[in-house]
Amino acid sequence: MFEAVLYFCTMANQDDQFKKVISHAKEYGYVFQSSEIYDGLSAVYDYAQNGAELKKNIRDYWWRAMVQMNDNIVGIDAAIFMHPTTWKASGHVDAFNDPLIDNKDSKKRYRADVLIEDYCAKIEAKIDKEVDKAAKRFGDAFNKEEFISTNGRVLGYQEKINTTLSRMAKSLENEDLADVKALIEELEIADPLTGSRNWTEVKQFNLMFGTKLGASAENAMDLYLRPETAQGIFVNFLNVQKTSRLKIPFGIAQTGKAFRNEIVARQFIFRMREFEQMEMQFFIKPGTQAKWYEHWKETRMKWHLSLGMGAENYRFHDHEKLAHYADAAADIEFKFPFGFKELEGIHSRTDFDLSQHEKFSGKKLQYFDPEENKSYVPYVLETSIGLDRMFLAVFSNSLVEEELENGTTRTVLKLPSVLAPVKAAVLPLVKKDGLPEVARKIVDELKWDFNVDYDEKDAVGRRYRRQDANGTPFCITVDHDTLEDNTVTIRHRDTMEQERVKIDDLRDLIKKEVDVRSWLMKM
Ligand code: GAP
């Protein structure tokens, strides 16, 4: 018999839900604060035994979709240290800044743009409330689109958001930091922690970490820790093109660490000082960027949707303020526990990066196009996603509490099974009568294909709960009947349904559910 789910409990509010995500990540061996025994290091985190597996599985899922499934995309692994001129050429030395503002009373430091964006997010929450109220009032007859485009109060809220964000974008673009401060004052934005409105001027702050290369202080060379992986791809563009003999359009992908001295870093692994990116630069003929921009927006969204985390949790956000290198840019935003925020960026970077590296290195970075019979600097379409942010999206979306028909609740981590750290746990019903030996044999067989756990401690019901909270998609129970007929009970995490199957069929049954192929086929 399996336990029936009565209903899903959505967690009390966003703050509670986020706290629950953070503590669950710690309790179940996913994410720990870095150097915790020394009171931690702000915005730096360690991935624990389950977290490292989940992260690896997300990285593999991206790599398989990007590199393995595309004949014209190859992967590289460039160094974190790069020649310092790289960052002069890329614009990071001069322009990789965030506008910061301090509160004179609390001495807390904030990103001025984030304070304004959070203000707008609060107005957006008011719109959502109006929509919910109206949906309840009108029932089945409710038309959300019509309501949003005609309701006076909602239109007023939307107008406020639009004018605020476009004024901020314009001020930042014109480097008019005084106006950014004026906007904060006009909107009466207060320090979120203390309520004080006693602000300093807004200043620019460079986000790159500096370090030194060399054995002696006199001869040391000043370096930066890379703030994005993309530049490692640009400087290798011609090496890769020549050695792979790829023709345009083609892509170069890589995953790896990046470092940013973030001003505001209070959102767990959403905004870290050391994080990992998964980036792909797609080199194209100048003039074709609009087509490829649409192509990659659509392709990346399909990749996200293939994981089955709900289309309603994603949206595109087209940039008003473009980075110094882009002629078009959009974010894929995800509904995190604290609202919709950027998960991935898709940027049309023109020929900015390659032209800059040509200029600063004095080396040609051009492609000879045999069809056109001429050389040119290719344009670039970039897709860039934070691996840690994707981890948080998957983890927070998967964590649910369910109330069961028998009055108890269960906490279950409904990770997409392709990403789950442990695919199956094998549980002997009791610790005697030869059952542990059979269970161990099953583990020894399955571990050639999957990450599997052996678990014999506590009553079987408690072990099910533990594996549910851990995100393990299958529990395999060995009982006395197993000794007679070589069958076991397999329990499915999400439905809690149980079925009796032959030991020999376990491998195929699990593979069908967790194989990357069947998930990526949904793209
Ligand atoms: N090469 C382009 C680039 O780096 P970005 O928008 O600055 O663009 C790309 O970063 C992605 O990297 C973001 O969408 C986000 O997922 C991730 N990311 C950026 N800063 C981050 C941080 N401090 N912590 C975690 N992830 C971050």
Side-chain angles (χ1 to χ4, degrees), residues 228 230 260 262 270-272 275 277 279 325 342-345 347 349 382 384-386 389:
E228 62 172 15
R260 296 183 189 177
E262 298 283 357
F270 180 81
R271 199 179 301 285
M272 301 157 89
F275 58 101
Q277 288 186 314
E279 298 201 296
Y325 50 73
E342 174 185 345
L343 172 59
E344 170 158 9
H347 311 127
R349 293 181 77 125
E382 167 184 76
S384 175
I385 174 168
R389 247 178 229 191

Side-chain angles (χ1 to χ4, degrees), residues 202-431:
V202 177
K203 283 180 278 191
Q204 291 290 20
F205 175 79
N206 192 287
L207 300 185
M208 283 197 295
F209 283 105
T211 184
K212 291 198 182 289
L213 181 90
S216 66
E218 313 84 72
N219 300 325
M221 185 185 203
D222 286 320
L223 290 190
Y224 294 105
L225 296 184
R226 68 179 178 198
E228 62 172 15
T229 57
Q231 299 303 323
I233 293 179
F234 290 124
V235 299
N236 279 300
F237 152 73
L238 215 50
N239 284 339
V240 173
Q241 194 274 320
K242 285 190 171 149
T243 49
S244 64
R245 286 176 288 116
L246 281 165
K247 290 197 173 71
I248 269 177
F250 73 91
I252 305 178
Q254 80 165 325
T255 69
K257 288 274 175 134
F259 304 83
R260 296 183 189 177
N261 197 1
E262 298 283 357
I263 303 167
V264 182
R266 296 191 196 96
Q267 285 167 312
F268 191 38
I269 55 171
F270 180 81
R271 199 179 301 285
M272 301 157 89
R273 297 201 164 105
E274 173 182 339
F275 58 101
E276 194 165 335
Q277 288 186 314
M278 306 191 286
E279 298 201 296
M280 193 280 297
Q281 316 293 325
F282 200 66
F283 297 91
I284 55 174
K285 201 154 115 182
T288 63
Q289 66 268 34
K291 178 182 97 182
W292 287 112
Y293 178 62
E294 289 310 320
H295 169 85
W296 282 109
K297 271 176 79 174
E298 193 186 317
T299 306
R300 291 303 303 146
M301 186 58 104
K302 278 191 189 154
W303 180 85
H304 285 285
L305 295 178
S306 73
L307 287 169
M309 299 203 296
E312 70 285 1
N313 291 319
Y314 298 87
R315 69 183 188 193
F316 282 112
H317 166 74
D318 295 317
H319 285 206
E320 284 197 29
K321 177 183 181 264
L322 291 172
H324 57 277
Y325 50 73
D327 73 357
D331 296 334
I332 293 177
E333 293 187 339
F334 184 77
K335 196 167 183 194
F336 288 97
F338 36 83
F340 273 101
K341 295 273 178 205
E342 174 185 345
L343 172 59
E344 170 158 9
I346 292 122
H347 311 127
S348 173
R349 293 181 77 125
T350 68
D351 60 356
F352 175 83
D353 303 87
L354 290 180
S355 300
Q356 286 290 101
H357 288 304
E358 273 201 327
K359 195 165 120 195
F360 279 78
S361 67
K363 310 266 167 35
K364 278 222 170 313
L365 289 176
Q366 303 206 350
Y367 168 78
F368 177 74
D369 190 329
E371 280 164 27
E372 303 265 322
N373 200 26
K374 68 172 189 195
S375 296
Y376 54 78
V377 177
Y379 269 37
V380 171
L381 228 295
E382 167 184 76
T383 72
S384 175
I385 174 168
L387 175 50
D388 313 84
R389 247 178 229 191
M390 185 63 195
F391 184 112
L392 182 59
V394 170
F395 193 88
S396 58
N397 184 264
S398 303
L399 185 61
V400 289
E401 275 184 3
E402 287 175 352
E403 187 145 323
L404 306 179
E405 247 173 18
N406 63 10
T408 61
T409 54
R410 73 162 183 155
T411 301
V412 50
L413 194 60
K414 292 188 167 179
L415 297 170
S417 58
V418 65
L419 303 180
V422 176
K423 304 303 184 200
V426 186
L427 327 171
L429 189 62
V430 289
K431 275 194 267 180

